[in-house]
């Protein structure tokens, strides 16, 4: 009998040990690689209850150093969840994720890829045992390495992988949020240290980089081996998070973490050639992998580290359990979406801003073009006026000389008659000769003036051409002014369209939220009436359940209205909705509920979180709902 008890106890011990190690992971994970190499992953605990199917924590990422930081590092809020459940230091189940203890080395890369090449009958790379970080790889090559590594592990080291229920771990790049949370020290540092540019402190709790990272003055301006014995890890046991080489993450670059215009992958951290003043957790860069000619860019100072994740749908929970867990998550503090620090999260407001920015840019361009054309027009008019004045003066001069020439010709003819009638008139020869010379001079001057008139005529013709060009420029000015007017009109028209769409969305959400509130109140009234008849809770069980569900839905719609609509439109929408309710002779309590709904919206915008149990307890006694 004792023998069977012993065997049963031994079997129970091994079974408990097996399931504990399979279902709950809490220590570092080391996975064997080909050629007697290995890779280590460090657990990053999140302080979230491991009994919840879905759970996340809200974290603020980016620089805390003020509003003058680059747009790449502006403060932003997002959520972070874990992939595994582990046993923390207090013996409790807690959500966590795994991050590589070091950057991937050239030796680790070489060992995995040589195995992959042998398996697929490809050309095999030369052996490389260097422990320097692996750099100069494209994202496509890195994903090929990750694929090869996952295949190797599942074929040769599957027992090393942690699990979340039935879901087994797989290797991937860390998300940007996972990287940033770990780089700040996670839950191993105080909130004040978490908010600093880096989480390293000296004996006086002051910031220091000494002995923690490789940068220009400590690295000798060259790359160093991973996990070096000459530096210390960060508070979570991770090496080279901010120095040595920058790290590619599985994040898409945007100006904030939630509602961003996304671009390339994100590079985080600094490198060995940077000054200490440039090393900070908030540093982020957008990956650019190609030249303008289509050549690949291989970045010599960018490497990567790995993370372990799982598939959510393979944990072993039923669809009903997952749905119920997600509903519970949505009703929790962490499940309520909040606006990011970068601005208003109303999608319609963002659309308005984008269109206004586009039209304002086009309008500014048209105004500048208009001013240039006006200046050219003014210059052409000035030149035309000057040339016209010169031409009129020359005509006056020609007319005066012509009259003087005619007078001299008459005098010359009279003198010729006198010469033919008397020999005494010979004494006038000298005078006649002098007059002939004067006539020749005047004729020469007339010829010169005629040449000038011809030149002026050509100039006038050119002026006419310039005038036509001026008229063409004026036409362009008029066209530009029309385009400017059209752009202004389109701005106003699209503003109105978007406001109409926003009002429709707000009206729909408000209508549903108001009905849910009224339905909850009606069920609470029914419960109160039934209590007067009997104390048996079974009688009003259905009413209680329906009231709670209606209040949950009501809270969800209130949050949607706050997060996704323009609050300045609410008074108008409310007035129109109340008028409609009165015209259709609905219950007066449903109309009163609109005032309570408005108050709840104001309180949520001010930071108050609506609790379903408080709504349930106080709804019948709210001043707005008084009978």
């Amino acid at each position: 009998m004792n023998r069977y008890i012993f065997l049963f106890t031994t079997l129970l011990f091994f079974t408990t040990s097996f399931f504990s190690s399979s279902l709950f992971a809490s220590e570092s994970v080391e996975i064997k690689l080909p050629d007697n190499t290995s890779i280590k992953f460090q657990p990053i605990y999140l302080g979230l209850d491991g009994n919840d199917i879905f759970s996340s924590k809200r974290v603020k990422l980016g620089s805390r150093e003020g509003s003058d930081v680059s747009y790449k590092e502006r403060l932003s809020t997002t959520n972070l969840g874990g992939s595994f459940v582990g046993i923390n230091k207090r013996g409790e189940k807690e959500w966590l994720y795994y991050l590589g203890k070091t950057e991937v080395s050239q030796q680790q890369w070489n060992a995995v890829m040589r195995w992959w090449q042998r398996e697929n009958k490809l050309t095999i790379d030369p052996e490389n045992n260097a422990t320097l970080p692996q750099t100069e790889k494209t994202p496509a090559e890195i994903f090929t390495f990750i694929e090869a590594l996952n295949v190797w592990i599942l074929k040769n080291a599957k027992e090393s992988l942690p699990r979340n229920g039935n879901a087994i771990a797989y290797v991937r790049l860390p998300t940007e949020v996972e990287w940033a949370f770990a780089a700040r020290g996670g839950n191993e540092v105080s909130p004040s240290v978490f908010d600093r540019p880096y989480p390293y402190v000296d004996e006086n709790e002051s910031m220091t980089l000494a002995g923690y990272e490789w940068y220009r003055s400590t690295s000798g301006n060259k790359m160093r081996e991973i996990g070096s014995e000459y530096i210390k890890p960060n508070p979570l046991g991770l090496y080279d998070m901010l120095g040595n080489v920058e790290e590619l993450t599985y994040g898409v670059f945007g100006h904030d973490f939630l509602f961003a215009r996304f671009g390339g992958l994100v590079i985080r951290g600094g490198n060995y050639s940077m000054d200490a003043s440039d090393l900070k957790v908030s540093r982020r860069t957008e990956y650019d992998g190609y030249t303008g000619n289509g050549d690949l860019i291989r970045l010599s100072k960018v490497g990567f580290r790995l993370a372990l994740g799982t598939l959510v749908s393979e944990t072993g929970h039923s669809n009903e359990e997952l749905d119920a867990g997600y509903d519970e998550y949505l009703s929790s503090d962490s499940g309520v979406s909040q606006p990011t620090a970068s601005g208003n999260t109303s999608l319609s407001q963002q659309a308005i801003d984008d269109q206004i920015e586009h039209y304002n840019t086009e309008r500014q361009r048209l105004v500048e073009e208009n001013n240039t054309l006006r200046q050219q027009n003014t210059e052409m008019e000035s030149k035309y006026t000057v040339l016209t004045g010169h031409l009129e003066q020359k005509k006056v001069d020609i007319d005066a000389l012509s009259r003087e020439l005619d007078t001299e010709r008459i005098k010359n003819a009279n003198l010729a008659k006198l010469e033919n009638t008397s020999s005494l008139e010979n004494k006038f020869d000298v005078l006649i000769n002098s007059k002939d010379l004067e006539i020749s001079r005047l004729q020469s001057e007339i010829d010169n003036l005629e040449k000038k008139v011809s030149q002026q005529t050509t100039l006038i013709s050119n002026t006419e051409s310039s005038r036509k060009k001026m008229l063409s420029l004026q036409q362009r000015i008029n066209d530009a002014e029309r385009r400017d007017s059209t752009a202004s009109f389109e701005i106003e028209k699209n503003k109105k369209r978007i406001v109409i769409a926003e009002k429709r969305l707000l009206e729909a959400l408000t209508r549903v939220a108001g009905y849910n509130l009224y339905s909850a109140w009606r069920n609470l009234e029914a419960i109160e009436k039934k209590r007067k008849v009997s104390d048996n809770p079974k009688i009003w069980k259905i009413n209680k359940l329906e009231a709670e569900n209606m209040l949950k839905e009501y809270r969800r719609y209130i949050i949607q209205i706050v997060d996704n609509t323009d609050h300045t439109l609410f008074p108008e929408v409310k007035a129109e909705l109340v008028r409609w309710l009165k015209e259709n002779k609905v219950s007066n309590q449903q109309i009163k509920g609109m005032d309570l709904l408005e108050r709840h919206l104001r309180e949520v915008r001010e930071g108050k979180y609506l609790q379903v149990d408080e709504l349930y307890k106080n709804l019948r006694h709210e001043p707005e709902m008084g009978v």
Side-chain angles (χ1 to χ4, degrees):
M1 186 67 178
N2 291 337
R3 177 184 177 187
Y4 289 116
I5 294 175
F6 172 76
L7 289 174
F8 177 77
T9 304
T10 304
L11 179 60
L12 180 62
F13 171 78
F14 280 112
T15 302
T16 304
S17 300
F18 172 77
F19 280 105
S20 297
S21 61
S22 299
L23 297 177
F24 306 115
S26 44
E27 301 299 330
S28 297
V29 172
E30 181 174 7
I31 300 175
K32 298 297 182 182
L33 304 181
D35 300 336
N36 295 320
T37 59
S38 65
I39 187 169
K40 295 180 180 179
F41 294 89
Q42 198 73 357
I44 313 296
Y45 284 91
L46 296 172
L48 300 172
D49 188 351
N51 293 302
D52 295 333
I53 295 178
F54 294 99
S55 186
S56 68
K57 70 183 304 170
R58 188 164 294 118
V59 292
K60 287 187 177 180
L61 303 178
S63 176
R64 277 73 161 164
E65 301 307 303
S67 60
D68 58 341
V69 298
S70 164
Y71 77 95
K72 300 178 182 179
E73 302 175 17
R74 288 291 172 90
L75 194 63
S76 185
T77 303
T78 187
N79 281 19
L80 174 62
S83 296
F84 306 92
V85 175
I87 305 300
N88 60 24
K89 297 175 182 177
R90 299 181 301 276
E92 302 166 341
K93 292 198 295 184
E94 183 176 330
W95 280 102
L96 61 92
Y97 64 95
Y98 283 98
L99 195 61
K101 197 178 185 72
T102 65
E103 296 153 340
V104 172
S105 71
Q106 296 176 17
Q107 182 185 39
Q108 292 167 336
W109 177 284
N110 182 257
V112 173
M113 294 310 296
R114 280 166 56 85
W115 173 82
W116 180 254
Q117 289 158 356
R118 285 193 296 269
E119 287 289 303
N120 292 277
K121 297 180 173 55
L122 303 173
T123 302
I124 299 175
D125 292 336
E127 188 173 355
N128 182 357
N129 292 319
T131 57
L132 297 173
Q134 180 64 66
T135 60
E136 299 186 339
K137 297 299 181 183
T138 68
E141 292 168 338
I142 292 174
F143 288 136
T144 299
F145 168 79
I146 290 174
E147 179 180 334
L149 179 55
N150 277 310
V151 173
W152 159 266
I153 295 173
L154 291 173
K155 287 180 177 293
N156 301 279
K158 188 174 182 179
E159 68 284 352
S160 303
L161 293 173
R163 298 171 179 266
N164 179 15
N166 295 335
I168 192 169
Y170 71 94
V171 178
R172 57 170 170 79
L173 284 176
T175 66
E176 184 181 3
V177 184
E178 289 173 340
W179 186 97
F181 180 77
R184 289 189 177 278
N187 289 340
E188 291 300 316
V189 298
S190 65
S192 60
V193 173
F194 186 89
D195 285 343
R196 293 178 181 177
Y198 41 82
Y200 309 123
V201 297
D202 58 18
E203 62 276 4
N204 299 317
E205 292 297 311
S206 299
M207 289 197 310
T208 180
L209 278 174
Y212 286 99
E213 297 287 355
W214 294 119
Y215 47 95
R216 181 183 292 274
S217 61
T218 60
S219 68
N221 200 24
K222 62 181 181 180
M223 192 160 53
R224 295 291 186 149
E225 66 275 6
I226 64 167
S228 171
E229 61 180 324
Y230 300 108
I231 62 171
K232 294 175 283 188
N234 83 346
L236 291 169
L238 307 172
Y239 287 85
D240 300 323
M241 287 297 289
L242 304 184
N244 208 9
V245 295
E246 299 166 58
E247 299 178 15
L248 190 70
T249 65
Y250 205 10
V252 184
F253 186 88
H255 57 272
D256 62 24
F257 291 91
L258 289 181
F259 303 109
R261 183 183 74 186
F262 297 116
L265 294 179
V266 183
I267 298 172
R268 297 303 302 254
N271 63 63
Y272 59 84
S273 65
M274 290 181 174
D275 294 328
S277 59
D278 294 325
L279 257 62
K280 50 186 178 179
V281 177
S282 60
R283 177 180 172 81
R284 55 198 301 262
T285 309
E286 188 172 11
Y287 175 80
D288 183 5
Y290 312 96
T291 66
N293 296 326
D295 296 326
L296 292 175
I297 298 176
R298 296 188 175 275
L299 303 174
S300 61
K301 298 178 183 179
V302 176
F304 65 100
R305 74 178 64 228
L306 297 173
L308 294 178
T310 58
L311 299 178
V312 176
S313 57
E314 293 191 0
T315 56
H317 295 289
S318 66
N319 290 335
E320 291 75 13
E321 290 174 322
L322 291 173
D323 288 339
Y326 191 64
D327 287 340
E328 183 178 350
Y329 164 70
L330 288 177
S331 64
S332 67
D333 288 342
S334 60
V336 179
S337 61
Q338 296 288 339
T340 67
S342 62
N344 194 332
T345 62
S346 171
L347 300 181
S348 62
Q349 185 61 44
Q350 291 180 14
I352 292 174
D353 294 341
D354 289 343
Q355 287 197 326
I356 289 177
E357 181 180 0
H358 167 74
Y359 284 123
N360 283 342
T361 301
E362 178 66 12
R363 180 172 185 171
Q364 184 61 33
R365 184 186 69 78
L366 292 173
V367 169
E368 292 174 358
E369 182 180 347
N370 191 6
N371 291 337
T372 301
L373 293 174
R374 286 186 183 278
Q375 184 177 358
Q376 293 176 352
N377 186 19
T378 302
E379 292 174 356
M380 293 300 298
E381 288 180 342
S382 177
K383 289 180 181 180
Y384 180 77
T385 301
V386 171
L387 289 173
T388 303
H390 287 170
L391 181 59
E392 293 297 327
Q393 184 60 45
K394 292 300 180 184
K395 287 182 178 180
V396 172
D397 293 342
I398 289 173
D399 291 340
L401 288 172
S402 296
R403 288 193 296 272
E404 187 178 351
L405 180 59
D406 291 340
T407 301
E408 292 298 329
R409 281 176 175 168
I410 293 171
K411 289 180 180 179
N412 191 37
N414 291 334
L415 288 173
K417 291 177 181 178
L418 290 172
E419 182 181 12
N420 294 332
T421 58
S422 175
S423 60
L424 293 175
E425 292 175 351
N426 290 333
K427 61 182 179 181
F428 295 110
D429 286 344
V430 175
L431 181 60
I432 291 171
N433 290 334
S434 65
K435 291 295 183 181
D436 287 336
L437 292 173
E438 180 65 16
I439 289 170
S440 297
R441 185 188 67 79
L442 290 172
Q443 186 65 51
S444 176
E445 188 169 346
I446 286 172
D447 292 338
N448 290 332
L449 285 172
E450 287 176 346
K451 288 181 180 179
K452 289 183 178 179
V453 169
S454 177
Q455 293 173 354
Q456 293 295 332
T457 301
T458 302
L459 188 57
I460 287 173
S461 177
N462 292 336
T463 302
E464 287 297 325
S465 176
S466 297
R467 184 172 180 81
K468 290 179 181 179
K469 182 178 180 181
M470 178 187 67
L471 293 174
S472 176
L473 290 174
Q474 183 62 47
Q475 182 63 49
R476 291 172 63 188
I477 290 172
N478 295 337
D479 292 341
E481 289 176 343
R482 278 195 298 272
R483 290 197 299 270
D484 178 43
S485 177
T486 301
S488 299
F489 173 76
E490 288 296 328
I491 289 174
E492 294 303 319
K493 182 173 67 175
N494 282 289
K495 279 184 181 178
K496 293 177 182 177
R497 286 176 177 172
I498 292 173
V499 167
I500 290 172
E502 178 85 1
K503 286 174 64 177
R504 286 177 179 172
L505 172 63
L506 179 55
E507 179 186 352
L509 293 174
T510 305
R511 188 184 293 271
V512 176
Y515 182 76
N516 285 335
L517 183 65
Y518 170 67
S519 296
W521 177 88
R522 189 174 57 189
N523 277 280
L524 290 174
E525 285 292 308
I527 292 173
E528 189 63 23
K529 291 178 181 178
K530 291 178 180 180
R531 276 179 173 161
K532 294 177 180 179
V533 177
S534 172
D535 292 334
N536 187 356
K538 292 182 180 181
I539 296 177
W540 59 78
K541 179 180 179 182
I542 294 178
N543 295 105
K544 182 177 183 296
L545 180 61
E546 185 172 352
E548 290 174 344
N549 289 336
M550 290 297 102
L551 289 174
K552 286 180 181 179
E553 288 297 301
Y554 171 73
R555 179 184 62 182
R556 185 165 67 89
Y557 283 113
I558 288 292
I559 293 167
Q560 276 191 268
I561 293 172
V562 171
D563 285 349
N564 298 324
T565 65
D566 184 355
H567 69 277
T568 61
L569 299 175
F570 182 78
E572 181 181 355
V573 170
K574 176 193 171 187
E576 293 177 357
L577 192 53
V578 168
R579 184 165 52 252
W580 182 89
L581 292 172
K582 290 180 178 178
E583 290 175 354
N584 286 272
K585 297 180 174 53
V586 301
S587 169
N588 193 43
Q589 290 303 124
Q590 189 170 351
I591 297 174
K592 289 181 177 181
M594 299 302 296
D595 294 330
L596 179 58
L597 185 150
E598 184 174 17
R599 173 159 66 87
H600 285 159
L601 289 176
R602 183 172 61 253
E603 291 174 349
V604 171
R605 279 196 296 270
E606 293 171 352
K608 181 177 179 180
Y609 181 72
L610 297 179
Q611 298 284 355
V612 173
D613 54 350
E614 290 184 6
L615 292 172
Y616 185 93
K617 181 174 63 176
N618 300 325
L619 181 57
R620 293 182 61 254
H621 308 291
E622 295 287 4
E624 292 89 347
M625 301 300 290
V627 180

